Every structure is written in structure tokens, then in C-alpha cells.
Amino acid sequence: EDKVVQSPLSLVVHEGDTVTLNCSYEVTNFRSLLWYKQEKKAPTFLFMLTSSGIEKKSGRLSSILDKKELFSILNITATQTGDSAVYLCAVEETSGSRLTFGEGTQLTVNP
Amino acid sequence: DAGITQSPRHKVTETGTPVTLRCHQTENHRYMYWYRQDPGHGLRLIHYSYGVKDTDKGEVSDGYSVSRSKTEDFLLTLESATSSQTSVYFCATAGTARNTIYFGEGSWLTVV
């Protein structure tokens, strides 16, 4: 059974801090790993990672995948209160075309 | 935004009644999914579809059925709602390349 584990489950930081969110996975036929940000409603897409060692970057957010060790990290630098959200990690398998999600990391950024 | 509309957005229903949630998309995406989201469990796949009339079960499919008679619509039915099905339900879609998966705004269902 596919499994995705995120850590920490909850994190409280101050504005300006840098945070690292972790995602480890076990999946039979790995295709991609995705990161989403969820505020009050629908998850919104951040990154899709398919290759090891290639960093994806968008503004203050970046992410990298290690397919050998089966994990990914999401970094957020110079955090802002608007970064407060649940960050979801999901893995997609090649067959069955479905995503398995982790529980998410609740990030709270205090002013 | 992939043009996904879920209806109803909010519903309160009684135990034992049937409920149907609708997901409508305008992007002609091949893949459609129904997830439920609960505290402590994250997002869990209920059913998914990889084409018209082609559906398969996810990890929490018991008590749910789906139908996809048209590309744009994916219906989730609770034949006889139970309190354990109180949840937020998200529809999601992906195109053939599956480069990304888009989510609808969610349907909040309360079974009393």
C-alpha cells in the first residue's frame, strides 16, 4: 500500500524565519511527487517533481526530490504571515493515475 | 483554476438518506477524482475516473459509488448517508499528461 508521511505535522515560526518541510514516501511505481498549499479551501498546486536532485523554485519557495532515499523537502525562506497554511505532499504512481496524500504540515507564521 | 465546479457546496442531510455530489469541469480533462478530507487523515481517495464510464475504487470507497457518463461530469453518490461520512469532499481533475492536478472548491457535507 502506498504511503506518504509528512513531518512535522505542525510548525509555528516567526516572520522572516526559514522553514523546511519534509515528505517521505513508499510507492510501488513512482511517477511524480507534488506539493500543494491549502488555506481555507481547495489545495493549490505548488510543484511537481519527477527527477532527483533538480531543484524547483518559485519565489521564496523551493523543493527538491531524492528518489534514492524516497523523500522530498519544501523550503520556504523569509516566511510571511501569508505563508500560513497546510502544506500537502502527494505521490503519483504510474499505474492507476491516482495520488496518495500525506496528512499535511500545518504551518503558522506569526508576525 | 481548471474550471471545476462542485455542487452543492454545503449540505446537511439525515442519516440514511441518499446524497449525490456533482463535479463539473470545463477543461476536457481525462482524469477526475473524488477525495474526502478529515482531520488526522489528510486527503483520501474515494473513487477516480480515467475516462467516460471508466472508474475505479480508491482507498476509502465503501459506502460510495460514482458515475461518469460525460467527460465533464463526475458524480459521487452516498447511497445511505452515515455520520462517518460527514466530511469535506474535493473533486480534482487532470489532463492526459497529468502534469498537474487541479482541485475544486470543496463540498461540506454534514450527516446528522
Side-chain angles (χ1 to χ4, degrees):
Chain A
E1 184 180 314
D2 298 344
K3 189 176 176 182
V4 178
V5 178
Q6 293 186 244
S7 64
L9 292 181
S10 179
L11 187 57
V12 180
V13 299
H14 291 289
E15 267 192 318
D17 288 350
T18 293
V19 298
T20 297
L21 310 183
N22 304 292
C23 176
S24 63
Y25 63 90
E26 296 173 23
V27 61
T28 306
N29 298 297
F30 177 86
R31 180 179 187 265
S32 65
L33 184 144
L34 298 94
W35 284 98
Y36 287 85
K37 178 182 181 182
Q38 185 176 26
E39 295 172 90
K40 293 296 182 187
K41 37 189 183 178
T44 54
F45 173 78
L46 293 175
F47 299 112
M48 172 183 268
L49 303 155
T50 56
S51 301
S52 276
I54 298 174
E55 185 183 53
K56 292 281 184 90
K57 199 168 170 66
S58 176
R60 296 175 294 102
L61 277 67
S62 63
S63 184
I64 197 161
L65 175 67
D66 186 327
K67 290 169 74 173
K68 183 180 176 185
E69 300 298 329
L70 308 183
F71 79 91
S72 174
I73 59 171
L74 175 69
N75 280 320
I76 308 175
T77 60
T79 52
Q80 303 171 357
T81 55
D83 294 327
S84 295
V86 175
Y87 290 84
L88 298 166
C89 172
V91 293
E92 184 186 21
E93 58 179 78
T94 55
S95 61
S97 59
R98 55 188 191 177
L99 292 176
T100 301
F101 281 85
E103 276 191 52
T105 294
Q106 172 72 61
L107 174 65
T108 303
V109 182
N110 290 323
Chain B
D1 181 3
I4 302 171
T5 305
Q6 291 185 227
S7 60
R9 295 290 316 283
H10 298 273
K11 186 172 181 66
V12 180
T13 192
E14 292 186 349
T15 298
T17 60
V19 176
T20 295
L21 305 181
R22 180 180 183 238
C23 178
H24 178 79
Q25 55 123 339
T26 59
E27 299 294 318
N28 202 36
H29 281 169
R30 176 183 174 187
Y31 299 97
M32 297 186 76
Y33 311 84
W34 276 108
Y35 287 88
R36 61 178 288 175
Q37 188 172 35
D38 305 287
H41 292 281
L43 281 156
R44 293 180 292 174
L45 182 66
I46 306 171
H47 283 279
Y48 65 101
S49 169
Y50 43 94
V52 173
K53 295 191 181 352
D54 290 324
T55 65
D56 205 349
K57 295 179 180 180
E59 61 183 303
V60 289
S61 59
D62 287 348
Y64 301 95
S65 63
V66 290
S67 66
R68 188 153 179 219
S69 58
K70 298 185 289 185
T71 298
E72 57 267 34
D73 289 325
F74 192 33
L75 304 180
L76 177 71
T77 297
L78 291 66
E79 301 291 346
S80 177
T82 66
S83 58
S84 65
Q85 294 175 310
T86 292
S87 187
V88 183
Y89 292 85
F90 285 99
C91 174
T93 73
T96 302
R98 306 208 312 271
N99 289 325
T100 192
I101 296 177
Y102 301 94
F103 283 83
E105 294 294 293
S107 293
W108 273 252
L109 176 67
T110 302
V111 184
V112 298

